[in-house]
Amino acid sequence: MKSLNKLATAIIPNNGGELTLYRRENEFSIRLSGVRGELMNSGVYNSEQELAKLGCAHIQNKDNAEVLVGGLGMGYTLAAALACVTANSRVTVAELIPEVLEWNQGPLGECAGRPLADPRCHVRLGDIAELIKMQEPAFDAILLDVDNGPEGITHSNNNWLYSTDGIEALYDSLRPEGMLAVWSAGADSMFVIQLKKAGFVVSVRTVRARPGKGSRHTIFLAKKPWRSSLA
């Protein structure tokens, strides 16, 4: 087997460490310096696609739907979200690290079918937390895959998203009956409790890293209920 070739590196803000992009023929790998090792691989993406499919299932036929994807990664969640929504909908992807955007605009973009080139895709370069803090209710679905789950491993500022204030801001950023979907490497019962306290109706799904095999990942699905102004 051929060895991985180092293509590029990127520094994660706020002392988050260093990302390195590797390639072996048609396989790409993004790794984090230190004990975390490989964060993602271009051959293992089923759970990222399931995040989008589950999070957008309720808006497949909705005109002018608005979706927010937190974390570009290798583009698989973005591509799956675009495949789920109508031709006049919009999917905004927020990415913290400029180099990750550049990698997806280069050869890495072929893996997910170059979703950044889709005219329905809009890119927001920066911290998704800042976007959420300023956002009025505008999204029908928010798909979060910004870290290893409800904890800030790769970027400490991600902790805010999973705090009480962050969850409430996510709730406020969704339209009635909107869905928050969060990818996680494992289960987290306390996070479920936090989501319910914020007013979400919560369910949890287990999906595989590859179709029918591989590691088991968790998708938290948190729906914002419809509330009449008369309630």
Side-chain angles (χ1 to χ4, degrees):
M1 179 181 293
K2 293 185 178 181
S3 60
L4 287 168
N5 296 314
K6 181 178 177 179
L7 297 183
T9 61
I11 300 298
I12 302 173
N14 300 319
N15 300 313
E18 183 179 75
L19 291 181
T20 304
L21 175 66
Y22 293 91
R23 181 175 188 174
R24 178 195 290 124
E25 297 183 333
N26 293 325
E27 174 193 1
F28 290 85
S29 173
I30 296 179
R31 302 188 177 194
L32 176 65
S33 58
V35 296
R36 283 289 297 118
E38 187 173 70
L39 287 179
M40 58 195 81
N41 186 287
S42 60
V44 184
Y45 52 85
N46 183 63
S47 62
E48 286 81 359
Q49 290 182 322
E50 288 299 311
L51 172 69
K53 292 176 183 178
L54 293 168
C56 296
H58 64 300
I59 54 172
Q60 286 189 344
N61 299 313
K62 179 180 174 64
D63 287 332
N64 299 308
E66 291 280 350
V67 179
L68 175 61
V69 176
L72 175 58
M74 291 186 168
Y76 291 110
T77 299
L78 173 60
L82 288 164
C84 286
V85 299
T86 59
N88 59 356
S89 294
R90 179 169 63 176
V91 179
T92 299
V93 58
E95 174 53 49
L96 176 67
I97 304 168
E99 290 87 349
V100 172
L101 177 60
E102 293 172 6
W103 298 345
N104 277 272
Q105 291 169 331
L108 177 60
E110 295 289 347
C111 298
R114 297 203 172 277
L116 291 173
D118 192 306
R120 297 171 298 165
C121 172
H122 294 255
V123 177
R124 291 288 297 266
L125 190 59
D127 192 339
I128 188 175
E130 297 304 318
L131 176 61
I132 292 296
K133 288 175 184 177
M134 71 175 70
Q135 185 67 55
E136 296 180 356
F139 296 109
D140 298 287
I142 298 175
L143 315 175
L144 289 184
D145 185 9
V146 296
D147 219 301
N148 211 44
E151 53 184 334
I153 291 178
T154 63
H155 182 51
S156 59
N157 283 7
N158 290 336
N159 286 322
W160 179 85
L161 285 172
Y162 310 118
S163 69
T164 298
D165 289 345
I167 293 171
E168 290 177 354
L170 287 163
Y171 184 96
D172 291 340
S173 296
L174 285 167
R175 293 170 175 166
E177 298 191 312
M179 182 72 78
L180 168 66
V182 181
W183 185 97
S184 177
D188 189 326
S189 58
M190 289 304 299
F191 185 54
V192 172
I193 292 172
Q194 287 179 284
L195 291 169
K196 289 181 177 179
K197 284 184 176 179
F200 284 110
V201 177
V202 183
S203 61
V204 180
R205 299 287 294 273
T206 300
V207 297
R208 303 298 288 267
R210 302 174 187 266
K213 61 182 180 179
S215 302
R216 287 176 168 83
H217 298 149
T218 299
I219 307 294
F220 300 97
L221 297 171
K223 184 176 182 179
K224 180 176 181 176
W226 178 269
R227 289 180 177 172
S228 168
S229 60
L230 299 177

